[in-house]
Amino acid sequence: MSAPGAAEPDESAATREGGRFVFRAQVFDADDLRRAHTRIAHEIVERNHGAPGLVLIGLYTRGVAISQRLAAAIESFEGVTVPVGALDVAFFRDDIGLRPVQPLGPTEVPVDVTGRTVVLVDDVLFTGRTVRAALDAITELGRPVAVQVAVLVDRGHRELPIRADFVGKNLPTKRAEDVQVRLAEVDGGADSIELWGPATDEGGR
């Protein structure tokens, strides 16, 4: 899971249980993130034997920005413009309501997923429930050839049998810890990924 934050760690941040989060470690800085985006973009193209037929669908909110970056990277070395869409999966649930995939750009025509390979893009893979909801939404919108998943961080603790096909970093975490992804487009400031945890945890992992 990720959460917006200031450029400087805020050690007064509250946990869900009413305690406090403290900064644990920096996982990625801006350069690390740039390299991860480039590597994931190359892996997507290699796995799919090229870029034609691909569609990137970013999951709100940071997955949208990441999918745009991946599409730009693919275009830079393949010379192919990959369609990019955005999908809002409300509150990690598949029974609250889903907005349809919409293109990012001036056109209002929905991104066509039928007959294409869809890559769902998110910042952090945790329980798997967000991806499960996204899969339900995609199947209602069309019939893709395949659906793949790309994430910046896989932090474990899966509750459903879902895995990522493309991962920036596998990061073992405690369930109570929080992975905070900050992207310039969404949060302002420099890109980063940080690990935070409850102050009562004594810093042990």
Side-chain angles (χ1 to χ4, degrees):
M1 296 173 64
S2 62
E8 296 298 325
D10 177 8
E11 297 195 1
S12 66
T15 67
R16 301 174 193 83
E17 293 76 24
R20 299 191 181 282
F21 274 147
V22 295
F23 175 78
R24 288 270 190 268
Q26 179 166 286
V27 179
F28 274 176
D29 61 18
D31 287 336
D32 295 326
L33 270 171
R34 175 181 51 78
R35 285 187 285 266
H37 287 129
T38 301
R39 175 169 55 79
I40 292 171
H42 278 278
E43 289 176 355
I44 290 172
V45 171
E46 181 178 4
R47 170 80 65 88
N48 293 287
H49 307 288
L54 290 176
V55 173
L56 303 180
I57 304 294
L59 306 186
Y60 277 104
T61 55
R62 291 167 185 80
V64 178
I66 297 166
S67 63
Q68 290 174 311
R69 294 183 183 191
L70 293 177
I74 291 172
E75 185 170 8
S76 72
F77 60 78
E78 285 291 302
V80 175
T81 300
V82 178
V84 179
L87 181 62
D88 184 2
V89 183
F91 303 112
F92 291 80
R93 302 290 295 275
D94 58 4
D95 57 351
I96 294 177
L98 300 167
R99 281 192 280 179
V101 173
Q102 295 293 335
L104 300 177
T107 176
E108 295 299 326
V109 178
V111 170
D112 185 9
V113 300
T114 298
R116 293 177 174 268
T117 297
V118 173
V119 182
L120 296 174
V121 182
D122 206 2
D123 55 352
V124 179
L125 181 58
F126 186 20
T127 64
R129 294 189 180 276
T130 300
V131 173
R132 158 48 188 308
L135 288 171
D136 289 345
I138 291 297
T139 57
E140 291 183 5
L141 294 165
R143 185 177 177 83
V145 171
V147 179
Q148 300 166 357
V149 177
V151 297
L152 287 181
V153 176
D154 185 344
R155 59 165 297 186
H157 303 287
R158 211 77 76 242
E159 295 176 359
L160 298 171
I162 288 172
R163 68 175 179 84
D165 300 276
F166 313 101
V167 180
K169 185 174 183 64
N170 289 289
L171 180 66
T173 64
K174 292 184 177 180
R175 193 173 186 88
E177 291 176 323
D178 190 39
V179 178
Q180 297 190 3
V181 177
R182 296 187 176 99
L183 301 176
E185 302 96 312
V186 179
D187 308 291
D191 293 345
S192 69
I193 300 179
E194 298 174 347
L195 180 66
W196 290 59
T200 55
D201 196 21
E202 301 295 333
R205 295 185 57 205

